[in-house]
């Protein structure tokens, strides 16, 4: 079977889908049909519903891609029949019953702690003054500042949303580890990708690797599209 042509991109917490533009540009230039989900990031159920709505509109199989918390969304939404493969970009890949909240509850000694501020009215933000260093250290300074100042409130319900049926157990997955990530420690990324039996690529990059290294990210997604197309 030919390479899968549909790609669906799912963003994580604190940001919106516009951060995918560089990846989108690379993929569309190579002939892929790319859709970007705009998650409300209020609850996992709401984000899964938004993702499935996009998947419903496709004319064939797709690679479902998630960054950060978006990995939780694709793990739950990927049971959709149009999903042929998953691609995790510096993302959480939870097992049954796990959530971002449980996965970050017990960080290893010495691991950087994301500067998440105490919840306000059920929503989370990152400390703006520490956003660039933690989330986007290799992104141009003006872009990182814009990302910090345009944060999307992340619902505590989304943070605590648990996966019911992890689709990486039944569908092939690919994983890009960002080796300079200060939000999800690289050892945690490797452990989750190993558990999911994902095809792994590693690259230098911050948590915002999808912004700073779009060509590398697009190449991993294309690898998933080619690999899943060959398995179909």
């Amino acid at each position: 079977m030919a390479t899968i042509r549909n790609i669906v991109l799912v963003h994580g917490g604190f940001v919106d889908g516009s951060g995918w533009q560089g990846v989108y540009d690379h993929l569309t230039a190579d002939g892929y049909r790319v859709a970007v989900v705009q998650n409300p990031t209020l609850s996992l159920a709401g984000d899964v519903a938004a993702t499935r709505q996009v998947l419903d509109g496709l004319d064939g199989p797709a690679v479902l891609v998630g960054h950060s918390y978006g990995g939780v969304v694709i793990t739950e939404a990927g049971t959709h029949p149009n999903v042929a493969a998953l691609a995790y970009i510096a993302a959480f890949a939870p097992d049954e019953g796990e959530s971002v909240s449980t996965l970050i509850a017990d960080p290893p000694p010495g691991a950087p702690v994301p500067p998440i501020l105490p919840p306000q009215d059920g929503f989370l933000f990152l400390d703006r003054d520490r956003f660039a260093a933690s989330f986007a250290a290799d992104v141009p300074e003006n872009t990182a500042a814009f990302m910090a100042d345009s944060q999307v409130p992340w619902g505590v319900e989304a943070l605590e949303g648990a996966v019911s049926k992890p689709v990486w157990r039944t569908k092939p997955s690919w994983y890009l580890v960002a080796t300079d990530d200060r939000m999800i420690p690289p050892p945690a990324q490797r452990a989750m990708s190993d558990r999911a039996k994902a095809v792994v690529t590693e690259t230098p990059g911050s948590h915002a690797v999808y912004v700073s290294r779009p060509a590398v990210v697009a190449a991993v997604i294309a690898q998933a599209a080619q690999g899943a197309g060959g398995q179909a």
Side-chain angles (χ1 to χ4, degrees):
M1 180 178 171
T3 296
I4 290 165
R5 306 314 301 175
N6 290 311
I7 310 292
V8 177
L9 305 174
V10 181
H11 66 81
F14 307 120
V15 296
D16 65 15
S18 64
W20 286 115
Q21 183 168 356
V23 175
Y24 172 95
D25 289 346
H26 280 283
L27 291 170
T28 54
D30 287 339
Y32 291 97
R33 181 178 176 224
V34 184
V36 181
V37 179
Q38 291 286 9
N39 292 323
T41 64
L42 303 178
S43 68
L44 176 59
D47 296 334
V48 168
T51 301
R52 286 183 170 151
Q53 186 175 40
V54 171
L55 291 166
D56 284 342
L58 300 182
D59 58 1
V63 177
L64 185 58
V65 184
H67 170 256
S68 192
Y69 157 73
V72 183
V73 179
I74 70 170
T75 301
E76 186 76 2
T79 54
H80 192 286
N82 279 341
V83 175
L86 308 170
Y88 293 89
I89 309 300
F92 293 103
D95 204 345
E96 182 178 348
E98 291 180 344
S99 63
V100 172
S101 184
T102 64
L103 288 169
I104 67 173
D106 188 21
V113 178
I116 301 174
L117 299 172
Q120 294 183 355
D121 301 321
F123 293 100
L124 300 165
F125 290 92
L126 289 179
D127 184 330
R128 281 175 169 77
D129 293 336
R130 297 167 63 197
F131 184 99
S134 293
F135 197 103
D138 59 352
V139 171
E141 186 177 347
N142 59 336
T143 303
F146 178 80
M147 292 171 71
D149 288 334
S150 62
Q151 286 184 64
V152 178
W154 189 18
V156 172
E157 281 188 42
L159 182 86
E160 295 176 347
V163 164
S164 62
K165 187 178 180 182
V167 74
W168 48 256
R169 291 193 173 278
T170 55
K171 295 183 183 182
S173 61
W174 279 254
Y175 197 108
L176 180 64
V177 174
T179 60
D180 304 315
D181 198 324
R182 297 184 64 81
M183 293 291 293
I184 305 177
Q189 295 184 39
R190 294 184 186 108
M192 289 185 287
S193 60
D194 182 64
R195 181 173 67 177
K197 296 181 172 58
V199 178
V200 178
T201 300
E202 297 206 3
T203 185
S206 73
H207 192 57
V209 66
Y210 68 112
V211 178
S212 63
R213 306 202 64 178
V216 174
V217 173
V220 170
I221 296 167
Q223 185 184 28
Q226 293 157 13
Q231 293 178 31

